[in-house]
Amino acid sequence: MGRTGAALFPSGPPCGTLSRALDNPLGRHTVVDAHQTFVIVGAGLAGAKAAETLRAEGFTGRVILIGDEREHPYERPALSKGFLNGTEERDSVFVEPAAWYAEHDVELHLGQPVVNLDRAAHTVTLGDGTVLQYDKLLLATGAEPRRLDIPGTDLVGVHHLRRLAHSERLKHVLTSLGRENGHLVIAGAGWIGLEVAAAARGYGAEVTVVESEPTALHRVLGPEIGSVFTDMHIEHGVRFHFGSRLTEITGQDGMVLAAVTDDGTEHPAHDVLAAIGAAPRTALAETAGLALASRAEGGGIAVDASLRTSDPDIYAAGDVANAVHPLIGGRLRVEHWANALNGGPAAARAMLGQDVSYDRVPYFFSDQYDLGMEFSGNAVPGSYDQVVCRGDVGKRQFIAFWLSEGRVLAGMNVNVWDVTEPIQNLIRDGRPVDPEALSDPTVPLASFLD
């Protein structure tokens, strides 16, 4: 598709071959006591990239990476996109080959939750009783799917999507539903819900999406652009039930039969997916007494611009971190791939004592049917006063901009490629632009920065 994420969001320099001498791929000599131990709790993308960066920057002490899943660290986007729809193989989701960790002296503790963090003793305790001492600690515990609090969620056929095992199970379910003309009901018309809907229709399953808002993606894109995605899914046979919530999942012999909404409608269903968002996994931090961000601020572990928590020896990165963002001028918690990809390395460098100010422009992408998009920036409801489009919205080949008093807060390119860098430059620049000129495809985006 020409997506530019790999170039714009580098994961750091290649690690090369680890040398116990301080010849590292950057040509730097980051000297940290070789007897120190850095522990990373959370073996997802952020945690794995932090471990990579510690070695790439020349750290020669112990690096311990702990994950509560038995899988080696993997990336999540494919779980609702390529792996789920069958266009990507399972092996493609892993951050590094399994052998990489031993080759780079990264100690793995997989399938082990951390059950206690003792800040005074500088220790973490694993579920099997193992106690590990740390000098610096990174919390990259991620998020977990929010659960439906309604009768019937214990039935076979009620799903969530967060982990590789969830995606494997759901892929099997969608294949079966497609063969048997079965029905999938999805609670939530956010990114995960819509990506799964597209995958399900690709397998031939019948799909109904229940959403409390008036359009798909209403809370993140607003009604103007949310309706573009709504119309596209309707064209592909997805049925929407807006302005409603699920109140019950009914079944027989332990199996799902239907999903009931609060207006009394009963939707036939063989399976139900709860795609109603995710909650940051803060229990460990909270129990240990670390400062948390308020719910109004987005929740999560409160960190400064260097991703340091209220404890000077503990950092947080990825979905769980709520950081002071120098560019936006407030707190921000981001649950997308690029934040894990870049936040883990930023935290690792801060742990090494480097001067870090994590000010990346938030970025994410989505693929649905023949539509690919990239979104940069932050435009929460109420923060913008105008949406400007350039290109052909009807053909779904356009760029949308969210503006506040003429300043570009966010931009989304839909089936238009190689424009993420100029969009992000507009966001960073912060000067008001002429909306009429911005909507004109013949006016180069770079001209607004002259």
Side-chain angles (χ1 to χ4, degrees):
M1 278 188 178
R3 180 170 285 119
T4 56
L8 287 172
F9 303 96
S11 59
C15 288
T17 302
L18 175 67
S19 171
R20 281 299 180 183
L22 291 178
D23 273 342
N24 62 62
L26 293 177
R28 295 177 184 165
H29 299 286
T30 297
V31 179
V32 178
D33 186 349
H35 299 293
Q36 283 197 320
T37 298
F38 284 9
V39 172
I40 302 168
V41 179
L45 179 59
K49 287 298 181 183
E52 287 184 14
T53 302
L54 290 174
R55 290 307 187 212
E57 293 284 333
F59 178 60
T60 58
R62 288 180 74 188
V63 176
I64 302 175
L65 182 58
I66 306 167
D68 60 4
E69 295 183 65
R70 296 191 180 278
E71 301 286 354
H72 282 75
Y74 59 86
E75 302 191 40
R76 299 189 190 278
L79 305 189
S80 59
K81 300 179 180 71
F83 176 69
L84 184 64
N85 65 33
T87 60
E88 296 179 26
E89 297 297 323
R90 188 181 193 276
D91 287 349
S92 69
V93 308
F94 293 100
V95 179
E96 294 288 356
W100 183 93
Y101 301 92
E103 291 169 356
H104 292 77
D105 288 349
V106 174
E107 302 173 36
L108 284 178
H109 291 262
L110 299 178
Q112 283 293 335
V114 173
V115 297
N116 186 61
L117 164 58
D118 187 330
R119 292 166 52 197
H122 275 58
T123 61
V124 293
T125 304
L126 308 188
D128 64 0
T130 300
V131 178
L132 298 170
Q133 192 99 24
Y134 68 84
D135 293 286
K136 299 289 185 182
L137 176 69
L138 173 62
L139 298 177
T141 48
E144 58 188 1
R146 297 187 187 277
R147 308 283 171 166
L148 290 168
D149 186 18
I150 59 175
T153 55
D154 57 339
L155 294 168
V156 175
V158 177
H159 308 270
H160 300 86
L161 181 55
R162 180 70 186 179
R163 301 190 171 204
L164 180 55
H166 295 158
S167 186
E168 289 179 306
R169 180 186 177 203
L170 191 58
K171 184 176 183 179
H172 174 74
V173 165
L174 297 185
T175 302
S176 298
L177 291 177
R179 283 198 308 262
E180 301 165 7
N181 197 34
H183 290 251
L184 173 69
V185 170
I186 299 174
W191 294 112
I192 296 296
L194 294 189
E195 288 174 357
V196 173
R201 290 300 296 146
Y203 286 104
E206 297 295 320
V207 178
T208 299
V209 178
V210 176
E211 169 59 53
S212 60
E213 299 290 346
T215 67
L217 301 168
H218 191 272
R219 295 178 187 173
V220 290
L221 300 182
E224 303 90 347
I225 307 302
S227 62
V228 173
F229 286 83
T230 302
D231 294 343
M232 177 182 66
H233 278 272
I234 290 173
E235 290 172 13
H236 283 83
V238 174
R239 292 182 288 272
F240 285 97
H241 199 78
F242 290 118
S244 296
R245 300 176 185 272
L246 291 188
T247 56
E248 183 181 7
I249 302 170
T250 62
Q252 184 175 357
D253 299 327
M255 307 294 289
V256 171
L257 284 180
V260 183
T261 48
D262 52 9
D263 58 1
T265 304
E266 186 172 272
H267 305 272
H270 297 93
D271 290 88
V272 174
L273 171 71
I276 55 175
R281 299 178 67 188
T282 58
L284 187 66
E286 184 174 7
T287 302
L290 293 174
L292 303 181
S294 69
R295 184 172 181 178
E297 294 172 317
I301 302 172
V303 295
D304 63 16
S306 70
L307 304 183
R308 189 194 301 260
T309 71
S310 55
D311 184 313
D313 292 327
I314 302 178
Y315 297 75
D319 294 359
V320 77
N322 191 311
V324 173
H325 198 288
L327 177 64
I328 292 171
R331 287 203 163 275
L332 185 65
R333 189 176 69 84
V334 180
E335 294 181 353
H336 298 294
W337 162 83
N339 185 49
L341 181 72
N342 296 298
R349 295 185 178 104
M351 293 165 76
L352 291 170
Q354 296 181 22
D355 185 15
V356 171
S357 181
Y358 187 63
D359 64 349
R360 291 274 184 170
V361 174
Y363 167 95
F364 65 90
F365 68 94
S366 183
D367 297 315
Q368 300 170 36
Y369 310 112
D370 58 353
L371 180 149
M373 58 73 67
E374 297 173 298
F375 185 100
S376 297
N378 183 53
V380 297
S383 67
Y384 59 90
D385 52 38
Q386 189 176 11
V387 179
V388 173
C389 294
R390 65 159 55 195
D392 194 325
V393 177
K395 291 183 179 179
R396 301 188 188 110
Q397 192 170 0
F398 66 95
I399 307 174
F401 298 92
W402 285 260
L403 277 64
S404 175
E405 298 180 345
R407 295 178 299 106
V408 178
L409 302 181
M412 181 178 72
N413 46 301
V414 176
N415 289 338
V416 176
W417 304 109
D418 302 322
V419 293
T420 298
E421 185 172 4
I423 289 172
Q424 294 201 358
N425 288 340
L426 280 173
I427 296 168
R428 285 191 174 279
D429 185 69
R431 286 179 292 176
V433 299
D434 177 6
E436 185 174 349
L438 190 63
S439 69
D440 186 348
T442 67
V443 179
L445 291 178
S447 68
F448 295 98
L449 300 168
D450 294 340

